Amino acid sequence: MTAGAPTPLPPPPPELAGLVRLVGAEAALTLVELHGGTRLPIPREANQGTRLAREIGLEAARALSAEHGGLMIKVPQVRRWRALVYRQRDGLTYAAIARRLSTTEGRVWEWLNAARMTTPQPDLFASPADAPAPVRGHARTLPRARSLPACPRP
């Protein structure tokens, strides 16, 4: 990534939107990465010594405590959203995203393709004149690769 303003995260899915509004996208992402798929106890009052404040920052922890203090919240996994984040913000490969999310590269491709974040693979056997123009932002069907002629046996 280049230096400068941080890349904005993709819009969160509905199951995460309330948490994002409350604590911000980065803090919500941290909670999902650390506690996704579990119930998380929220302290009645957050201070610098609480685990929650160490994980997401004191301000975000206080906002969460003010709204849900003393309760358990369900932290969603939102793997599809995280795949979009990891590709857009971090530039991770499909394989790296799949490993991080414990899923397959094919599933990552499906998620990214649905969000129009995939690029077509070039035809390796086409001449440069036959190469399709690059398409930004969505997948496109490419011509099938031609078979190579069989090699004569010695």
Side-chain angles (χ1 to χ4, degrees):
M1 295 289 340
T2 58
T7 304
L9 299 181
E15 63 267 30
L16 190 64
L19 188 60
V20 168
R21 275 192 300 278
L22 195 58
V23 300
E26 288 293 337
L29 177 60
T30 300
L31 278 177
V32 166
E33 289 174 331
L34 296 174
H35 304 286
T38 66
R39 294 181 318 138
L40 178 66
I42 305 301
R44 291 187 193 282
E45 291 183 28
N47 58 46
Q48 291 177 342
T50 61
R51 179 181 77 173
L52 186 61
R54 288 190 304 271
E55 291 174 350
I56 65 171
L58 184 57
E59 262 188 60
R62 283 184 174 158
L64 199 52
S65 289
E67 186 79 19
H68 301 291
L71 301 175
M72 302 274 283
I73 64 168
K74 289 182 181 179
V75 182
Q77 289 185 332
V78 290
R79 293 187 305 164
R80 179 184 306 237
W81 180 71
R82 289 167 56 200
L84 302 179
V85 168
Y86 298 150
R87 184 68 173 177
Q88 180 178 311
R89 183 190 69 184
D90 304 334
L92 295 182
T93 63
Y94 295 2
I97 294 169
R99 283 190 300 272
R100 190 177 275 192
L101 297 177
S102 297
T103 191
T104 65
E105 287 180 71
R107 177 69 63 193
V108 170
W109 183 88
E110 288 173 7
W111 291 335
L112 297 176
N113 189 52
R116 301 195 178 280
M117 292 177 68
T118 57
T119 54
Q121 179 178 347
D123 184 353
L124 300 177
F125 300 104
S127 67
D130 295 337
V135 176
R136 311 257 317 151
H138 64 85
R140 177 175 126 178
T141 304
L142 296 176
R144 289 185 158 267
R146 290 181 226 103
S147 298
L148 296 175
C151 295
R153 293 192 172 200

